Amino acid sequence: MKLNEQGVLIIEEQDIHNLYFYLVHDGTAFKDSFRFEMGLQGIELHPGSVSAIDHPLAMPEDYGYPEEDLPLILEAIHSVIREDDPGFGVW
């Protein structure tokens, strides 16, 4: 994952895998694991820092995770971003 200069938070397949891994192996909710991953990767959000999110459109195929879990993961990501950047998604 990375936050580019235009404020686009880029979520990669490996990030999705990591969030799912924490759920399966540690029982950590997607929202909590996303916060943890942001900390591990040194990403700090503040108001106005995120203009958009770029994420995989499907679950990573190599891991065999249920496709129906992707919306849950994306909602957790959006929730954390809205908490840290209250202006995100407000039109």
Side-chain angles (χ1 to χ4, degrees):
M1 138 180 29
K2 63 183 171 183
L3 183 62
N4 70 19
E5 292 178 8
Q6 292 77 33
V8 178
L9 182 64
I10 301 168
I11 308 295
E12 299 171 345
E13 283 190 355
Q14 184 62 44
D15 301 315
I16 301 293
H17 166 68
N18 292 349
L19 300 183
Y20 210 90
F21 179 86
Y22 297 135
L23 174 70
V24 170
H25 293 282
D26 300 329
T28 306
F30 293 132
K31 188 174 173 180
D32 295 332
S33 59
F34 181 67
R35 281 195 188 284
F36 179 72
E37 269 299 305
M38 283 192 342
L40 280 179
Q41 297 187 34
I43 295 176
E44 293 183 29
L45 301 182
H46 52 81
S49 61
V50 180
S51 63
I53 301 171
D54 182 20
H55 58 77
L57 299 177
M59 277 294 234
E61 292 182 20
D62 297 340
Y63 303 112
Y65 300 140
E67 190 68 34
E68 59 270 13
D69 285 349
L70 184 60
L72 301 173
I73 292 171
L74 296 177
E75 177 52 38
I77 290 169
H78 282 246
S79 178
V80 169
I81 292 169
R82 284 190 305 267
E83 288 174 15
D84 291 352
D85 183 354
F88 177 75
V90 176
W91 305 98

